[in-house]
Amino acid sequence: MALLDHLGITVDDLERGRAQFHPVLTALGYRSGGANDHSISWNNGDETEIILYTWDEDSAPHRHGRIGWQHIAFAVPTREEVDRLHAVATDAGWSAVREPKEYPRYSERYYASFVEDADGIRVEFMYNPPRETA
């Protein structure tokens, strides 16, 4: 099975992107990687890398629901971790789209929150344990 190797996200302002993504990604266990004039990266050991890019072209913020990016979901081990990451994100300037709550339409165990950065990039923190451990 192929696994996600890296994810590239274009943002309007690289320093604002760093200020918003760094606290969230480090709270998720990612470490700072390389940086240059057009990109910043974080990695999870030898696993998945997340890269922010910026370009000198004019562009509009992303709008959720349009063709393209929907959101990325990070699975975490507890409900408390969903709550903690939601607070880390909002403290770093992300907007709360949906506060942490249960989503029984997905499963009776599903608990999640959704946040967006200043460019409309949406992230979900979710807890959905297997039925036998719930």
Side-chain angles (χ1 to χ4, degrees), residues 89-123:
T90 57
D91 288 348
W94 293 69
S95 297
V97 176
R98 295 190 184 118
E99 297 290 333
K101 68 177 189 174
E102 294 178 351
Y103 287 88
R105 69 179 182 238
Y106 303 138
S107 86
E108 66 276 4
R109 303 167 310 282
Y110 206 101
Y111 183 80
S113 77
F114 296 81
V115 294
E116 275 186 359
D117 78 346
D119 291 313
I121 304 300
R122 189 171 290 196
V123 172

Side-chain angles (χ1 to χ4, degrees), residues 7-103:
L7 173 66
I9 302 168
T10 301
V11 296
D12 183 52
D13 181 300
L14 198 57
E15 287 308 313
R16 183 181 66 205
R18 179 195 315 263
Q20 289 189 309
F21 275 82
H22 184 75
V24 171
L25 293 175
T26 56
L28 285 163
Y30 285 77
R31 293 188 186 94
S32 293
N36 60 39
D37 291 345
H38 292 287
S39 68
I40 304 168
S41 68
W42 294 264
N43 57 59
N44 188 352
D46 292 333
E47 302 299 326
T48 308
E49 180 179 33
I50 296 178
I51 311 157
L52 294 186
Y53 295 98
T54 191
W55 304 105
D56 297 330
E57 301 171 12
D58 290 331
S59 63
H62 175 72
R63 286 199 41 219
H64 183 76
R66 291 221 166 156
I67 293 173
W69 174 274
Q70 213 316 320
H71 71 279
I72 186 170
F74 291 98
V76 299
T78 65
R79 287 175 172 236
E80 292 77 21
E81 189 67 357
V82 169
D83 296 341
R84 183 183 79 83
L85 290 164
H86 185 85
V88 167
T90 57
D91 288 348
W94 293 69
S95 297
V97 176
R98 295 190 184 118
E99 297 290 333
K101 68 177 189 174
E102 294 178 351
Y103 287 88

